[in-house]
Amino acid sequence: CTSRYSQTSSDKQLISLNIAKAKISPISLQIPFGWKEINANDSTFIDLWLVSEDFKSSLSLIPLNNDSKDQNLEQWKFISKLSNKMKYKNSGVEFIDEDSIELNEITIAIYKFTHKDHYYRVCIFEHQKRFYELTALEENEKNIAIISDIQNSVLASLK
């Protein structure tokens, strides 16, 4: 099931006019208000990293690399979940799938999980024939809906 989400005036209040450009990928995104772009320690994997002023929320863009062009969106979602399961050694990680959404004619597959009081929302999408993962990290359970709205607004600004 796919729900529609379009950038509205309320979305524009979540993101600034400042643009962040990925280091390697042909992607630029608008930065949320009160956030900044920082250099990732692991720039091998993270192509763009946005962090809130209080450092309790972040968005990280990761290109999903593969020599094979056979994977589709749902297969990349499965691979991403498997990767996170292995990364966290399956220690209390429970995945929750969300319905796919469409932002500006781009279909986005979404899942969420928690690990050690950290809340993650992972969006997988295709841009210029390559797949990417934009992961939101939130430390405060009360802010999960807010970080989801910010993540959707940032994705709606994708260029």
Side-chain angles (χ1 to χ4, degrees):
C1 181
T2 301
S3 65
R4 288 265 183 211
Y5 185 97
S6 60
Q7 193 169 9
T8 65
S9 59
S10 63
D11 296 330
K12 291 178 183 173
Q13 294 172 2
L14 296 174
I15 56 177
S16 70
L17 296 176
N18 296 330
I19 303 291
K21 293 183 180 181
K23 290 175 183 40
I24 298 167
S25 307
I27 289 181
S28 61
L29 302 166
Q30 287 178 258
I31 300 172
F33 281 114
W35 289 52
K36 59 185 172 184
E37 180 181 2
I38 61 173
N39 289 326
N41 290 339
D42 194 353
S43 59
T44 305
F45 298 106
I46 298 175
D47 201 8
L48 176 64
W49 196 12
L50 303 175
V51 180
S52 64
E53 285 179 336
D54 63 4
F55 293 97
K56 293 186 181 202
S57 305
S58 69
L59 293 170
S60 58
L61 178 72
I62 300 171
L64 299 173
N65 297 313
N66 190 4
D67 294 333
S68 170
K69 302 294 182 205
D70 295 336
Q71 276 82 12
N72 63 30
L73 190 62
E74 286 302 314
Q75 290 167 327
W76 275 115
K77 181 178 173 181
F78 174 80
I79 292 166
S80 174
K81 287 164 98 174
L82 184 61
S83 175
N84 278 314
K85 187 180 274 194
M86 291 171 36
K87 179 178 178 179
Y88 297 108
K89 299 177 178 65
N90 203 23
S91 59
V93 175
E94 184 176 328
F95 296 103
I96 300 166
D97 285 325
E98 281 189 28
D99 288 341
S100 294
I101 61 172
E102 193 169 307
L103 296 169
N104 299 335
E105 300 181 15
I106 296 172
T107 303
I108 300 168
I110 304 168
Y111 69 92
K112 297 186 283 193
F113 68 97
T114 59
H115 182 258
K116 295 186 179 179
D117 296 328
H118 289 89
Y119 303 89
Y120 298 86
R121 183 174 185 254
V122 182
C123 294
I124 315 276
F125 63 95
E126 185 177 5
H127 179 69
Q128 296 185 6
K129 301 185 186 214
R130 295 208 48 207
F131 287 91
Y132 298 89
E133 178 180 290
L134 184 68
T135 301
L137 165 64
E138 175 57 52
E139 288 186 8
N140 187 342
E141 185 176 12
K142 295 176 190 173
N143 293 333
I144 293 172
I146 295 168
I147 191 72
S148 295
D149 288 345
I150 289 171
Q151 186 180 33
N152 288 348
S153 295
V154 167
L155 281 167
S157 76
L158 176 70
K159 301 251 188 280

